[in-house]
Amino acid sequence: VLVPWFHTAVQPELEALRPGGVSNQTARFALDAKVVEDVGETAAKLMACAPDALLIGLATEAFPNGLAMLESVATTLAQRCERPVFTASHAPHAALRALGARRIGIVTPFDAASNERVRAAYEAAGFEVVRIAGLACPSIDAIARTPRDAIGRVFGEADADAVEALVQVGTGLPVLHQVEALERTHGKPVVACNAALYWQALRALGVTDAVAGFGRLLAEH
């Protein structure tokens, strides 16, 4: 698992999802102008653990040209390390398709300008964004410390009758442990990006264990 050095949500959330017999080996990279090189160097160090897959715990929809950049990083890593690579930006697309959801509501920790880039990324992937709601967190640290009630409120803002599933973007926002409660409240699937990342990697590697307590995606698919 490759995680930006400042993130505090990805590592504990993925550990909470880990079935017996699966291990997570985590290393951190700098998120700066040399991010492509930094991710590659970090992945090379992890190869000593002989991983079956590499997971990038970073979502880039809010960055200009973010999805293309992340896809390029993933492709380069897969070729260099000869392992499948999964990302927290692309995994939710696969999760939504597995759940049969096309019309979505999106929750982010971002401001309005970043949310428009997130909207465009999901629409380009073939989804209809019915609503998008952001927390406009002022800093990375503030994202990680978002109160549970604020997360619940913003999911309410993103929901509507036409929404078939709710999606959370932004790997630093700690949503995983609220997913089941949110699904009960809204009566529809909730796709948290960290959960989707782990789900996609597990299923691609043939690990079919149901992981209970974190929503429909990992419990049923």
Side-chain angles (χ1 to χ4, degrees), residues 107-183:
V107 167
T108 86
F110 309 127
D111 61 17
S114 296
N115 283 349
E116 286 309 304
R117 289 191 285 270
V118 173
R119 178 194 293 275
Y122 270 85
E123 290 178 345
F127 299 98
E128 178 185 341
V129 180
V130 178
R131 286 187 181 176
I132 185 166
L135 289 155
C137 295
S139 67
I140 291 166
D141 183 62
I143 292 173
R145 297 179 184 278
T146 301
R148 291 176 64 91
D149 60 348
I151 290 172
R153 184 183 69 251
V154 77
F155 268 90
E157 294 171 3
D159 197 11
D161 289 343
V163 168
E164 296 170 333
L166 291 159
V167 186
Q168 172 249 330
V169 172
T171 55
L173 187 65
V175 167
L176 180 68
H177 293 279
Q178 289 181 245
V179 167
E180 270 206 330
L182 289 165
E183 289 190 340

Side-chain angles (χ1 to χ4, degrees), residues 98-111:
L99 291 163
R102 190 183 69 83
R103 295 189 301 275
I104 60 173
I106 301 177
V107 167
T108 86
F110 309 127
D111 61 17

Side-chain angles (χ1 to χ4, degrees), residues 165-210:
L166 291 159
V167 186
Q168 172 249 330
V169 172
T171 55
L173 187 65
V175 167
L176 180 68
H177 293 279
Q178 289 181 245
V179 167
E180 270 206 330
L182 289 165
E183 289 190 340
R184 287 194 298 269
T185 296
H186 297 282
K188 58 196 64 173
V190 171
V191 176
C193 59
N194 291 337
L197 170 64
Y198 207 66
W199 164 83
Q200 188 179 42
L202 289 178
R203 300 304 183 249
L205 294 173
V207 180
T208 58
D209 303 51

Side-chain angles (χ1 to χ4, degrees), residues 50-105:
D52 293 300
L54 294 169
L55 284 63
I56 303 178
L58 174 67
T60 60
E61 295 94 325
F63 303 162
N65 203 35
L67 278 187
M69 180 272 288
L70 189 59
E71 185 172 8
S72 175
V73 170
T75 299
T76 299
L77 277 187
Q79 293 171 347
R80 183 181 301 171
C81 299
E82 299 182 332
R83 299 290 192 279
V85 178
F86 304 94
T87 83
S89 282
H90 299 93
H93 302 169
L96 288 167
R97 293 182 183 115
L99 291 163
R102 190 183 69 83
R103 295 189 301 275
I104 60 173

Side-chain angles (χ1 to χ4, degrees), residues 13-24:
E13 289 198 344
L14 268 56
E15 278 297 316
L17 296 172
R18 185 173 59 82
V22 176
S23 72
N24 300 342

